[in-house]
Amino acid sequence: MPKTIKKVGVLTSGGDSPGMNAAIRAVVRTCAYHNIECIGIYRGYQGMIEGDFKEMGPRSVNNIVNKGGTILKSARSVEFRTPEGRKKAHENLVKAGVDALVVIGGDGSFTGGLIFNSEYGFPVMGIPGTIDNDIYGTSHTLGYDTALNTVVDCIDKIRDTASSHNRLFFVEVMGRDAGHIALNAGIGAGAEEILIPEEDLGLDRLLDSLQKSKASGKSSSIVVIAEGDKIGKNVFELKDYVEANLPEYDVRVSVLGHMQRGGSPSCFDRVLASRLGVKAVESLIEGKSNYMVGLQADKVALTPLEQAIKGKSEIDRELLRVSDIMST
């Protein structure tokens, strides 16, 4: 018989993303709907170790669905990576009467939850929260859609300046290991070239592409670059290389940085967070553990945490083809 769940703990860990608050709200209110207690764990796994808990009810999550970031805060916890740290965390959860955990975060957060479960048999359910959209088992992670809209809005503004001054802009977006933001936002914003970690465009092809753009009559260009792209050591060295080889271009760099993580979540992210939060709690009630709730073919589905961690989120090859056609 599965363990009866009477109290659920919810935490956010790793990098924040728009939609985390909406997911917290969904977890808390789903618990209330099923007459289960809920506690918020502040500062992720570090808060578990320090016993930084707060009882949460339906009214404690009023007016947060529209807020970016996370009201529960987030922190990296070196101590939780040790058996001693996890032992303290477990003792605090038992003392507080917590029966199961909902972890909102990325693969690092899920890895911590999986190890914790293996040591203590503690039920864990994951909700993917990261703007990079780089987690296997879901077509969308929380915050990804909002980040895309933020990036497209920024590039639209940059294009106004690029067109006014006949400039080439390199716009660097987040995506150390995955080019989902760069690829989708690049297509959406009409970028002339998109550089992502999954595809090594090469310097020669980039120069050739920019020369063709110039010859075709384009007076300004936007190149979107994922921060993990392998074509240059960094975007500023790439700028210097292009200026040295194509002196006719006036090149500027814009690094969008952490503004991509902030802001009010889009409607899509709010609805997704609500769906995933409900599924996470109800799956724990059903006796399930060590799963991530995600979106597959627009349906909420469960993926084993181990698969979510080890699997690779693939780039859409059809979108690469679309990008090539659109840059003509």
Side-chain angles (χ1 to χ4, degrees):
M1 288 289 291
K3 179 182 178 181
T4 300
I5 304 295
K6 295 180 180 178
K7 185 182 285 191
V8 170
V10 58
L11 63 84
T12 51
S13 178
D16 64 289
S17 63
M20 280 186 164
N21 282 327
I24 294 166
R25 174 179 178 265
V27 169
V28 171
R29 291 193 170 174
T30 305
C31 285
Y33 180 84
H34 290 284
N35 297 312
I36 293 171
E37 293 181 73
C38 186
I39 66 160
I41 301 168
Y42 284 82
R43 295 175 296 112
Y45 292 124
Q46 191 60 34
M48 267 172 61
I49 292 170
E50 296 174 10
D52 195 358
F53 304 157
K54 181 182 178 181
E55 296 281 346
M56 301 185 80
R59 303 290 74 80
S60 66
V61 289
N62 281 352
N63 305 318
I64 68 168
V65 70
N66 60 317
K67 298 186 187 304
T70 163
I71 63 166
L72 292 179
K73 311 297 183 184
S74 185
R76 310 283 180 184
S77 179
V78 175
E79 195 177 354
F80 192 75
R81 296 177 183 175
T82 68
E84 296 77 18
R86 293 190 293 273
K87 184 173 183 292
K88 283 186 200 173
H90 182 254
E91 288 170 353
N92 285 331
L93 290 177
V94 171
K95 184 178 177 181
V98 178
D99 301 305
L101 276 180
V102 175
V103 176
I104 306 169
D107 54 5
S109 306
F110 294 165
T111 299
L114 198 61
I115 293 170
F116 190 69
N117 173 272
S118 69
E119 290 178 342
Y120 295 101
F122 208 88
V124 174
M125 197 65 58
I127 295 177
T130 167
I131 67 166
D132 290 339
N133 204 43
D134 59 350
I135 296 180
Y136 178 83
T138 184
S139 61
H140 291 74
T141 56
L142 294 184
Y144 173 56
D145 183 73
T146 304
L148 283 181
N149 285 294
T150 298
V151 170
V152 168
D153 184 55
C154 289
I155 295 174
D156 286 347
K157 291 177 170 65
I158 290 168
R159 188 177 288 282
D160 291 342
T161 292
S163 299
S164 297
H165 296 275
N166 294 339
R167 283 175 177 158
L168 165 63
F169 266 87
F170 286 138
V171 181
E172 184 185 89
V173 302
M174 284 185 166
R176 187 177 65 248
D177 301 310
H180 297 286
I181 292 176
L183 181 57
N184 282 269
I187 293 172
E192 278 68 34
E193 200 62 73
I194 301 168
L195 309 181
I196 58 176
E198 293 88 345
E199 291 286 305
D200 187 359
L201 179 67
L203 289 168
D204 290 339
R205 190 186 144 188
L206 175 61
L207 293 179
D208 183 56
S209 174
L210 292 173
Q211 285 173 324
K212 285 179 179 176
S213 292
K214 198 80 168 175
S216 70
K218 291 183 180 179
S219 59
S220 65
S221 291
I222 301 285
V223 177
V224 178
I225 304 172
E227 62 185 336
D229 177 67
K230 308 297 192 294
I231 197 171
K233 290 182 180 177
N234 61 58
V235 67
F236 294 99
E237 287 195 7
L238 189 57
K239 166 190 176 291
D240 293 341
Y241 181 84
V242 170
E243 283 185 327
N245 287 273
L246 298 175
E248 65 271 25
Y249 269 112
D250 182 14
V251 186
R252 295 289 188 274
V253 171
S254 184
V255 178
L256 299 189
H258 284 81
M259 72 171 69
Q260 295 161 85
R261 278 195 189 168
S264 182
S266 65
C267 179
F268 181 92
D269 274 328
R270 298 182 199 193
V271 174
L272 177 62
S274 301
R275 296 173 70 185
L276 299 186
V278 170
K279 184 67 172 179
V281 173
E282 292 187 341
S283 295
L284 287 170
I285 292 170
E286 293 167 3
K288 295 183 173 69
S289 177
N290 285 359
Y291 285 97
M292 179 194 77
V293 291
L295 198 63
Q296 298 177 17
D298 202 35
K299 301 291 184 186
V300 178
L302 298 180
T303 298
L305 273 182
E306 190 170 8
Q307 279 186 29
I309 294 163
K310 292 182 178 179
K312 184 169 176 57
S313 175
E314 299 290 341
I315 206 78
D316 189 333
R317 312 304 300 186
E318 177 62 17
L319 277 182
L320 287 172
R321 198 174 78 86
V322 169
S323 171
D324 286 340
I325 294 171
M326 290 300 101
S327 64
T328 301

